[in-house]
Amino acid sequence: MSPLPEAELVRNSVQLYRYLLRCCRRLPPGPIQQHYRHAIRQSFKVHADEDDPVRIQQIIKRAIEDADWVMNK
């Protein structure tokens, strides 16, 4: 099960970014939520220059799987 039902609709990096931030809103407020919001921002900065479509899809798939793991933890 995905953290949010919109996971199947994520096709590009902007959609992924918005999706992950929406997932963060479901976490308990405070340091945990701040940590994951910061990690999301940093990850997008690190991968901002990625231009290989296959690699981008791999990153999207892995980010959704990681978000699923965090939300079920």
Side-chain angles (χ1 to χ4, degrees):
M1 179 181 154
S2 298
L4 292 175
E6 300 92 30
E8 304 83 38
L9 303 176
V10 174
R11 299 283 180 244
N12 61 46
S13 57
V14 174
Q15 290 173 340
L16 176 64
Y17 186 75
R18 294 180 66 184
Y19 171 79
L20 293 174
L21 290 179
R22 282 193 301 271
C23 286
C24 275
R25 286 189 217 140
R26 296 178 63 199
L27 295 172
I32 294 172
Q33 194 178 71
Q34 291 172 358
H35 168 76
Y36 284 108
R37 287 176 62 88
H38 178 74
I40 291 166
R41 287 188 193 109
Q42 291 303 315
S43 184
F44 273 83
K45 288 178 184 178
V46 168
H47 296 291
D49 61 346
E50 189 66 57
D51 58 357
D52 179 17
V54 174
R55 177 70 180 131
I56 291 170
Q57 290 306 311
Q58 289 173 342
I59 293 169
I60 289 171
K61 182 178 182 289
R62 178 59 191 234
I64 291 171
E65 289 171 359
D66 290 348
D68 188 28
W69 181 82
V70 168
M71 299 303 290
N72 289 326
K73 179 168 100 157

